Amino acid sequence: MAAAAATAKLQEQFDAGLQTRPDFTIDQPLARYGAVDHAVWDQLYRRQSALLAGRASDAFLSGAQSLGLNVAHVPSFEAVSERLMPATGWRIVAVPGLVPDRIFFEHLANRRFPVTWWMRRPDQLDYLQEPDCFHDLFGHVPLLTDPVFADAIRAYGQAALAAHARDARALTLLARLYWYTVEFGLMREAGAPHGVKIYGAGIVSSKGESLYSVESEAPNRIAFDLDRVLRTRYRIDTFQKTYFVIESFGQLFEALGEGVAARLADPAALLDGPAFGAGDVLAGDTVLTRGTGAGWLEDGDV
Ligand SMILES: [Fe+2]
C-alpha cells in the first residue's frame, strides 16, 4: 500500500542526515519540529480527545491523561517514557517510520514501542496511509499504561518473534491478529452505543472511524474469537467491515500470548484452511450487531 510513500519518506530522512541505529531507532530530532508540526499535534489532540470522551475505553482516556500528551506541542518522547516506565516498564523509542517486522517484534518483546518521529501535514488531518507520530503516540501509547494491556503487547512481541523465526508465513496471521485487535479493536462496555467502546489505535487516531466504528449501522460487530480472526482478511483502504469485540484486556493477553503462540506452532494448518472475507458473517459467530453493509466496496480485502 504505502510502500512507495514510505520509501520516499525514509529516503528523505536519510538525506536529511538522521542517524539510524541497527535497531532502526534514532534520537527524536526535537529541533526539526516547526510551528506547523506543533499546531497539527495540538489540533489533532484536542479534536480526538473531545470526540473520544464516552466513545473510547476508560483505560485509553485515563492513559492519555496520565502521559502528559496534552502539551500543545509534539511531546518529548523522553518525557513520555519517564511517565510510562514507572507504570508498566514500557518506554517509547523514535523511529524514521515503518520498521522491518523482526525488528518491530523485538522492540515489543522488550517493552519498547517504536514511535514514528515526524508529523503529518495540515492537509492530512483526516487520512494518512502510513503511521505518523500522532497515530503512533496518541493512538498506541496511552493503553501501554494499563498493566494487562501492556503485558499483552509484550506477549505478542515474544510470540511473533518465535513464530516468525520458525516460519515467515506466520506473518500473514500475525498481521491479521494485530489489525483486528491492537489497531481496530473494540471492547464490550455496558451502556455504550451498540454496547461497545474503542481501544484500537487505528480508530482512536481517526476522526471518521471513531464515529463509524461505534455508531454506524454499516459494520458487523462480532465477539472476538482467536481462530476466527486469524482466518479473516481485512481492509486497509476503507473503514472496517467488521470489528471484533473483546470482553477484557485479560482475554486479549491470553489471545496475543499463549493463544497465538499455540496456533502458530503450525501456521500451515491455518493458512491452508479457509480465509474469510472482511465482511463475512459465519454461522458460528457471536454477532453483537449485524452490519447493513451500507457503503461497502466489494473487492480489496488483503
Ligand atoms: Fe498502528
Side-chain angles (χ1 to χ4, degrees):
M1 55 146 194
T7 305
K9 184 62 82 172
L10 284 169
Q11 184 63 40
E12 184 187 305
Q13 291 172 60
F14 177 77
D15 290 342
L18 293 175
Q19 298 295 315
T20 306
R21 303 183 188 93
D23 66 356
F24 283 74
T25 62
I26 57 173
D27 291 326
Q28 184 188 15
L30 285 165
R32 290 184 186 231
Y33 297 120
V36 171
D37 296 312
H38 296 309
V40 168
W41 173 276
D42 189 39
Q43 190 178 351
L44 284 172
Y45 183 92
R46 287 166 189 267
R47 184 180 83 177
Q48 289 306 111
S49 298
L51 205 57
L52 292 170
R55 294 189 175 96
S57 70
D58 294 342
F60 175 86
L61 296 170
S62 61
Q65 284 278 327
S66 71
L67 288 176
L69 302 182
N70 186 13
V71 285
H73 57 75
V74 182
S76 146
F77 294 1
E78 216 175 287
V80 172
S81 289
E82 276 172 20
R83 290 175 177 231
L84 180 57
M85 280 201 76
T88 56
W90 277 76
R91 66 193 173 94
I92 59 176
V93 289
V95 291
L98 293 168
V99 303
D101 296 305
R102 187 182 59 78
I103 301 279
F104 182 66
F105 299 146
E106 261 173 18
H107 282 305
L108 300 187
N110 289 285
R111 296 186 187 271
R112 295 185 301 263
F113 198 87
V115 175
T116 301
W117 78 271
W118 52 269
M119 287 293 300
R120 69 189 70 186
R121 300 187 312 258
D123 63 339
Q124 296 172 315
L125 291 190
D126 292 335
Y127 182 71
L128 190 66
Q129 271 190 319
E130 52 185 322
D132 74 331
C133 179
F134 186 76
H135 168 82
D136 284 343
L137 181 47
F138 180 84
H140 283 283
V141 181
L143 279 181
L144 293 174
T145 60
D146 181 281
V148 181
F149 184 89
D151 283 351
I153 302 301
R154 175 170 183 254
Y156 174 85
Q158 291 173 319
L161 260 187
H164 182 246
R166 249 191 336 261
D167 186 340
R169 290 177 306 161
L171 273 178
T172 301
L173 305 169
L174 289 163
R176 288 174 184 161
L177 180 58
Y178 194 84
W179 189 266
Y180 278 121
T181 58
V182 181
E183 294 292 357
F184 291 97
L186 298 178
M187 67 192 297
R188 265 218 227 238
E189 177 118 354
H194 293 304
V196 294
K197 280 196 175 175
I198 305 163
Y199 74 91
I203 306 176
V204 295
S205 57
S206 157
K207 178 185 177 186
E209 200 146 3
S210 289
L211 294 169
Y212 175 89
S213 63
V214 292
E215 289 177 13
S216 172
E217 304 296 329
N220 303 312
R221 300 179 184 86
I222 294 175
F224 176 85
D225 177 88
L226 178 57
D227 290 290
R228 167 73 158 93
V229 166
L230 290 172
R231 291 185 183 279
T232 306
R233 297 158 72 202
Y234 56 91
R235 308 289 305 199
I236 61 169
D237 57 342
T238 66
F239 295 155
Q240 300 309 299
K241 293 180 174 179
T242 298
Y243 297 94
F244 290 97
V245 182
I246 60 168
E247 293 287 338
S248 66
F249 290 146
Q251 182 190 19
L252 194 65
F253 174 73
E254 176 62 31
L256 294 190
E258 286 179 10
V260 74
R263 271 25 166 237
L264 294 187
D266 181 15
L270 282 162
L271 288 165
D272 295 343
F276 308 121
D280 291 355
V281 175
L282 309 179
D285 288 339
T286 301
V287 180
L288 307 184
T289 60
R290 181 159 194 149
T292 61
W296 285 3
L297 301 174
E298 281 313 309
D299 300 322
D301 295 358
V302 299

